[in-house]
Amino acid sequence: MEKTICIITKSKKRGGYCVAGFDVSNNQWIRLVSSLDPYYDKISVEFMNVDGYDIQCFDVVNFDFLSYLPNGCQTENWLINKEYKPKLVKKYSLEEILKLIQVDNDDYVIANTLDFLVENEIKNLNRSLYLYEVNNLKIQEYSHDGDSKKSKFKCSFNYKNINYTNVSLTDIDFLNPKCNGMTLNSALVVTSIPCIPFENGRYYKFIAKIIPIQNSNSDSFIKIMKEGSFYGVKNNDALLINKYFGYKLFGKNIIRAGFHASNLENVLKKLDELCIDYDVYHYSTEPTISKRFENNNYHYIAEPEQINNKTKTIYYSMRRSELLNYLANGINAITGEKTDIIDEKLKFALLDCAKMIEKKEGNDNGFKLKVIEEE
């Protein structure tokens, strides 16, 4: 059975790799395994090499699988066909990855605030791969008796105002003495849990992939612009913020996240909860609100002004046919979420409607999204 996978993690595992990614057909996690035995299920270095090219994270690759092979909490496992040579399809950009990935918004990083789980907690898990957005991530190298070859790397970070420490790192891109002491203001981390415990009975969490977040400006904070009747952010910022807020705005060359003006306070409250540094601008002028998260506290750079701008509509650019095709396929064009309420009869009616609108009025951009305001 062939599947097209976007590789997200290629982490260190007993002389080989632990490889996981997303099935591009349904955005579901897939972990590649070579055996049911977790001690021998690594993916070999040789298998991940295609004609002299080592398959990397963000590569989109066709693999052949023999069967679905879940193992305890590792419900994402699929057994690879080692006789089938992987086929490279293309490489995704970070922007495409962020469209594909669903960022988890749990209260804790895998069930609790510790660096491990116990058996009773493991029984409650129905998956083993998670993606979180974290702040103040620091990488630390610990050598064993001064032997750098036996050194281990650990991570500490902040998630939803909770500090996590001593989480093992297996991302081969950061297992380097040069990364010792590295601090990232904001990052996405793929966090995983094993299906068997360590010898002390604990199931230790580990970071399989770190994806540093590069914001749309150079100073590593979200830049929110007031544009007409809404506040918006662009590019990578928008793709991340869209995971937490309701409106998604599409432009010709960019993707934006939009926040209705009257809801700005809620937007800022949510940013505070996520520990995201941000500036708010009015028409590209000086910031009216500017906050930085340091030492587990926010600090104002400038005080907010009173916002009185209220409106019941915001604009977004999407061609008529594009919008109706989204709806016909059961996809909310604003949030990107899928729904099962679209049946075949309604689907074809919407597609016919799209054709009629194009024929009568053209296929211009400029739909209005009506927003009901709270009084």
Side-chain angles (χ1 to χ4, degrees):
M1 169 187 324
E2 188 174 280
K3 290 179 177 288
T4 302
I5 309 298
C6 176
I7 302 299
I8 304 297
T9 78
K10 179 186 172 187
S11 58
K12 183 179 178 181
K13 185 172 186 178
R14 300 188 184 94
Y17 301 121
C18 179
V19 181
F22 277 82
D23 183 334
V24 299
S25 69
N26 58 19
N27 292 7
Q28 297 298 309
W29 277 108
I30 295 280
R31 179 189 284 106
L32 283 61
V33 296
S34 59
S35 168
L36 178 62
D37 189 334
Y39 285 106
Y40 301 100
D41 66 353
K42 69 183 181 183
I43 303 301
S44 70
V45 174
E46 295 75 22
F47 183 80
M48 292 296 288
N49 184 284
V50 179
D51 298 327
Y53 172 76
D54 288 326
I55 296 173
Q56 304 294 323
C57 291
F58 296 6
D59 284 340
V60 180
V61 186
N62 285 341
F63 294 98
D64 190 59
F65 295 93
L66 296 176
S67 64
Y68 177 50
L69 200 66
N71 194 350
C73 65
Q74 292 191 345
T75 58
E76 307 89 349
N77 295 2
W78 282 76
L79 180 65
I80 60 169
N81 180 358
K82 290 183 281 189
E83 303 301 318
Y84 176 90
K85 188 176 182 179
K87 297 178 182 177
L88 290 168
V89 178
K90 59 180 178 178
K91 193 175 191 71
Y92 274 162
S93 65
L94 177 59
E95 288 83 357
E96 290 171 308
I97 293 294
L98 293 173
K99 291 179 190 177
L100 186 70
I101 290 178
Q102 176 64 48
V103 178
D104 289 298
N105 195 28
D106 305 328
D107 291 334
Y108 308 108
V109 173
I110 313 187
N112 64 31
T113 62
L114 304 174
D115 63 317
F116 65 89
L117 277 70
V118 295
E119 187 173 354
N120 287 339
E121 293 172 310
I122 285 289
K123 290 179 179 178
N124 295 325
L125 297 185
N126 58 10
R127 60 187 175 118
S128 65
L129 290 166
Y130 300 79
L131 181 75
Y132 297 104
E133 183 183 351
V134 304
N135 298 97
N136 300 323
L137 184 147
K138 186 173 182 178
I139 299 171
Q140 192 73 42
E141 180 182 11
Y142 296 90
S143 61
H144 181 71
D145 295 331
D147 187 349
S148 60
K149 292 182 180 180
K150 296 182 180 180
S151 64
K152 295 183 178 181
F153 288 79
K154 303 278 188 175
C155 289
S156 62
F157 53 84
N158 183 280
Y159 175 72
K160 291 193 173 182
N161 291 322
I162 298 172
N163 289 321
Y164 292 79
T165 60
N166 205 40
V167 182
S168 294
L169 175 65
T170 58
D171 184 346
I172 58 175
D173 292 333
F174 291 89
L175 300 182
N176 188 314
K178 293 181 180 179
C179 296
N180 184 31
M182 177 184 289
T183 300
L184 299 173
N185 182 64
S186 187
L188 293 172
V189 293
V190 177
T191 310
S192 187
I193 200 82
C195 59
I196 55 173
F198 196 62
E199 58 188 19
N200 61 5
R202 294 177 174 179
Y203 296 77
Y204 285 96
K205 305 172 186 178
F206 58 91
I207 303 297
K209 184 62 184 173
I210 297 173
I211 305 174
I213 297 174
Q214 300 297 327
N215 295 314
S216 57
N217 56 5
S218 60
D219 293 323
S220 197
F221 52 81
I222 300 292
K223 186 176 182 181
I224 307 175
M225 302 292 295
K226 186 174 187 302
E227 303 177 80
S229 60
F230 65 92
Y231 290 81
V233 297
K234 302 178 181 180
N235 303 327
N236 291 349
D237 288 349
L239 292 167
L240 288 167
I241 297 301
N242 275 330
K243 304 297 181 180
Y244 305 108
F245 299 98
Y247 304 133
K248 183 180 292 184
L249 291 91
F250 297 80
K252 184 176 181 181
N253 298 316
I254 61 171
I255 295 177
R256 299 185 181 188
F259 315 119
H260 197 238
S262 64
N263 291 332
L264 182 61
E265 288 186 6
N266 292 333
V267 171
L268 302 186
K269 180 180 178 182
K270 187 66 176 180
L271 290 173
D272 287 353
E273 292 174 1
L274 298 169
C275 305
I276 295 176
D277 297 350
Y278 59 83
D279 288 344
V280 176
Y281 291 78
H282 279 229
Y283 299 102
S284 300
T285 60
E286 292 300 313
T288 57
I289 303 173
S290 185
K291 277 185 166 184
R292 301 289 180 272
F293 189 79
E294 297 176 356
N295 300 321
N296 296 323
N297 288 292
Y298 263 110
H299 303 279
Y300 274 104
I301 308 300
E303 291 297 325
E305 293 180 354
Q306 184 68 30
I307 299 167
N308 296 315
N309 188 357
K310 290 182 179 288
T311 179
K312 290 187 180 294
T313 60
I314 60 175
Y315 289 90
Y316 64 97
S317 294
M318 181 183 290
R319 294 185 180 277
R320 294 182 173 92
S321 59
E322 186 180 0
L323 175 62
L324 289 166
N325 273 281
Y326 267 116
L327 295 175
N329 286 285
I331 299 174
N332 183 325
I334 308 305
T335 66
E337 296 173 341
K338 293 184 179 179
T339 176
D340 57 3
I341 64 172
I342 303 295
D343 58 24
E344 287 295 305
K345 183 176 180 181
L346 180 55
K347 175 178 179 177
F348 287 114
L350 287 166
L351 291 174
D352 286 342
C353 182
K355 291 179 182 177
M356 286 189 292
I357 288 177
E358 287 182 54
K359 184 176 180 180
K360 182 178 180 181
E361 302 179 15
N363 192 29
D364 296 332
N365 292 347
F367 269 78
K368 291 182 180 179
L369 170 66
K370 296 199 174 191
V371 179
I372 305 298
E373 286 198 15
E374 297 180 3
E375 295 297 331

